[in-house]
Amino acid sequence: MKFIKDFSFGLRTYTEAIQYIFKKRLAWFFIFPILLNIILFWVGWDYIGDLAQQSQTCLEGWLDLKNAEFWGSGFLKATLGGFIWVIFKLLFFLIFAYFGGYIILIIMSPVFSYLSERTEKIKTGNDYPFEIKQFLKDIVRGVFIAVRNLLIELALTILMFILSFIPIIGWIAAIFLFFISAYFYGFSFLDYAIERKKMSITQSVLFMRENKGIVIANGFIFSLCLIVPFCGVSFSSFVAIISVVAGTLAVNEIWDDDKYLNRKSNKI
């Protein structure tokens, strides 16, 4: 079965990518996930704390709690700050739990674009002279693909939530959504290499559909890391580096071995 064969191929390129990164001296790209985690968690955590404090001040002013003298007002004043702090921190984690993968894709798009280009140059010898215009175009396309996939996934999530109330279908909804996420994450990681083949987004969509087993396998590991409690987003930002390299290796191998797909895509 083509899907199983492609899925196995996608996992194989993933293991190859890990060796490739260290063998070809690309491990320095792991510096960027470290910087990303510092920005998202240290700075973000402090910002959320400040936002909670500002919200508490506004709420106290709106309720006029400073001048309140009703029974229990003292307890309310004492607990309001802690309650708001907990709510904002929970929202912070919930947002990252669901949108963390796409936040990584959007913020690190410039890094992924350059990493994919470097990987292809080392693997095939294809040299792409740096052009700021093309580099910015690649970043915009990467962000657009991430936002597009996020919106589609949100729509499918809502649909699955509605269908989850139906017996049997509801049982498989969570599994189905996991593989949907894996597909769209893999889509983003592979598209950096696809774009350099001068394929439009429409052609890229066709390519992904034709090779969905490879695409899902590429996003599978990343999706698994995201669901790790508490440290999922942090850990997956490092795994994303491997995913980009694996996706680039897979695309170039397909491109060499699957000439008919190239011809088929160019007819769109």
Side-chain angles (χ1 to χ4, degrees):
M1 186 177 178
K2 185 178 186 301
F3 178 83
I4 297 177
K5 181 180 178 181
D6 286 351
F7 190 84
S8 299
F9 170 73
L11 292 180
R12 176 173 63 81
T13 58
Y14 215 92
T15 57
E16 290 177 359
I18 298 174
Q19 301 174 358
Y20 197 86
I21 287 172
F22 292 98
K23 188 176 181 180
K24 300 300 181 180
R25 299 180 180 179
L26 294 172
W28 65 272
F29 276 92
F30 287 118
I31 294 174
F32 295 102
I34 295 175
L35 295 176
L36 177 69
N37 282 299
I38 292 174
I39 294 172
L40 289 184
F41 288 98
W42 288 8
V43 178
W45 189 262
D46 290 339
Y47 178 77
I48 289 297
D50 292 340
L51 186 60
Q53 182 62 46
Q54 294 174 13
S55 299
Q56 178 185 350
T57 302
C58 292
L59 187 58
E60 287 178 347
W62 181 62
L63 296 175
D64 196 22
L65 289 180
K66 292 183 179 180
N67 301 318
E69 296 181 356
F70 59 86
W71 183 87
S73 60
F75 176 77
L76 181 60
K77 294 176 186 179
T79 58
L80 183 61
F83 177 76
I84 293 177
W85 186 89
V86 171
I87 292 297
F88 272 82
K89 298 300 183 180
L90 285 175
L91 287 174
F92 180 78
F93 277 112
L94 287 174
I95 289 172
F96 272 93
Y98 191 84
F99 298 104
Y102 289 102
I103 291 173
I104 292 172
L105 289 173
I106 292 172
I107 295 178
M108 295 189 65
S109 181
V111 176
F112 294 156
S113 179
Y114 180 64
L115 172 61
S116 179
E117 182 181 315
R118 287 289 301 165
T119 301
E120 182 173 337
K121 181 179 179 180
I122 295 172
K123 182 67 176 180
T124 66
N126 296 335
D127 192 10
Y128 299 91
F130 180 79
E131 296 180 4
I132 186 64
K133 183 179 180 180
Q134 183 61 43
F135 184 64
L136 292 175
K137 181 180 178 182
D138 293 345
I139 294 174
V140 170
R141 172 164 169 153
V143 172
F144 176 81
I145 290 291
V147 173
R148 168 196 178 273
N149 292 345
L150 171 61
L151 294 176
I152 295 176
E153 186 177 338
L154 276 175
L156 291 174
T157 300
I158 294 172
L159 177 61
M160 286 296 101
F161 175 76
I162 295 173
L163 294 177
S164 66
F165 293 99
I166 303 176
I168 300 178
I169 295 180
W171 300 342
I172 63 174
I175 299 175
F176 183 69
L177 284 174
F178 176 82
F179 281 97
I180 288 176
S181 295
Y183 174 82
F184 285 126
Y185 287 137
F187 188 124
S188 293
F189 293 132
L190 267 70
D191 188 69
Y192 291 103
I194 291 295
E195 193 278 334
R196 286 192 302 278
K197 306 301 182 183
K198 304 302 179 183
M199 295 178 71
S200 66
I201 292 179
T202 302
Q203 291 172 320
S204 180
V205 170
L206 175 64
F207 183 93
M208 303 302 175
R209 289 175 180 172
E210 290 283 348
N211 299 277
K212 54 183 172 290
I214 299 172
V215 179
I216 292 175
N218 183 272
F220 183 80
I221 306 298
F222 184 76
S223 296
L224 277 179
C225 293
L226 280 173
I227 62 177
V228 175
F230 303 110
C231 61
V233 175
S234 178
F235 185 53
S236 61
S237 62
F238 292 91
V239 175
I241 297 294
I242 304 173
S243 299
V244 172
V245 175
T248 304
L249 294 176
V251 167
N252 281 281
E253 188 168 337
I254 295 171
W255 204 260
D256 290 338
D257 297 339
D258 225 352
K259 301 298 183 181
Y260 83 94
L261 184 57
N262 185 13
R263 294 194 300 269
K264 181 177 180 180
S265 298
N266 287 332
K267 292 179 182 179
I268 300 177

